[in-house]
Amino acid sequence: MKANKNVDNQQLDLESEAIKNIDANKLSRFIEINSLRLVTEYSPVTVIGLFNTMIQIHLLLMMNKASPEYEESMHSYQKAAKLFQGKILFILVDSGIKENGKVISYFKLKMSELPALVIYRTLDDKWDTLPTAEVSVELVQNFCDGFLKGNWPRENDESEEKTQKVEL
């Protein structure tokens, strides 16, 4: 079975061995994962889909698209996204858009700390931030691997002051 992914110009193959053992849940997951873009830009239109996806870990790159480093950073971010496809949903939050300030402040970041990476687990609201001057594949990979292994440099439990969940 072959699936053509128009968004990132990829052809995806579901191996014949896998077809024999596939059930509705596995097929649904294959289709959902492979219909997503490698990197989805955060917007009022995409936010609903982002929170309704099966992928419960999101990595946000908060960066101004007008910055001189944007193209190179985005290229590295997309390469890293391929490494975690189906495990982590990669999202771009354009800090140059005023309305995205709510997302940035939700993760307790200031504009002066951007660009930054934020990894967020939707299931239990666990998250960690990593302000960075340069986005590289290695940096993103190490940050994601650390989070997946439970090694977070900074806890964000907000134990004293629980923040209510707000639709971003």
Side-chain angles (χ1 to χ4, degrees):
M1 176 176 172
K2 293 192 187 254
N4 194 14
K5 185 175 178 183
N6 295 328
V7 176
D8 292 322
N9 296 325
Q10 284 184 300
Q11 181 173 316
L12 305 167
D13 295 323
L14 186 58
E15 302 298 324
S16 57
E17 270 303 307
I19 292 172
K20 293 176 189 174
N21 301 323
I22 200 159
D23 61 20
N25 288 338
K26 287 179 185 174
L27 182 59
S28 175
R29 181 162 170 78
F30 175 83
I31 291 169
E32 181 175 349
I33 288 169
N34 290 296
S35 65
L36 295 170
R37 293 176 179 261
L38 284 175
V39 176
T40 303
E41 187 166 353
Y42 179 90
S43 74
V45 175
T46 61
V47 70
I48 295 166
L50 295 174
F51 284 103
N52 289 327
T53 182
M54 292 174 154
I55 302 172
Q56 297 177 345
I57 299 176
H58 300 175
L59 182 70
L60 293 80
L61 171 59
M62 298 190 183
M63 177 176 216
N64 189 329
K65 286 175 68 174
S67 73
E69 300 83 17
Y70 172 75
E71 289 298 325
E72 187 176 331
S73 295
M74 195 60 184
H75 181 71
S76 296
Y77 194 59
Q78 288 173 326
K79 277 184 163 181
K82 288 179 185 178
L83 301 173
F84 294 96
Q85 194 170 13
K87 296 177 192 163
I88 298 176
L89 186 63
F90 279 61
I91 303 164
L92 170 68
V93 178
D94 184 358
S95 61
I97 297 175
K98 185 179 176 185
E99 293 79 18
N100 289 346
K102 289 181 181 180
V103 179
I104 295 163
S105 64
Y106 179 84
F107 294 107
K108 299 183 178 169
L109 287 167
K110 298 177 182 103
M111 294 300 275
S112 61
E113 297 175 294
L114 303 182
L117 294 171
V118 176
I119 194 158
Y120 173 69
R121 187 168 52 216
T122 60
L123 189 63
D124 58 7
D125 277 345
K126 292 275 187 188
W127 52 272
D128 193 14
T129 59
L130 179 65
T132 181
E134 182 182 326
V135 177
S136 69
V137 175
E138 183 179 357
L139 176 83
V140 173
Q141 185 174 9
N142 290 339
F143 187 56
C144 291
D145 284 339
F147 189 85
L148 292 172
K149 292 176 185 170
N151 304 328
W152 309 327
R154 188 166 89 186
E155 288 289 327
N156 294 301
D157 289 331
E158 303 162 22
S159 53
E160 289 179 25
E161 181 185 331
K162 265 297 195 198
T163 304
Q164 288 183 330
K165 258 192 172 179
V166 178
E167 185 173 310
L168 304 174

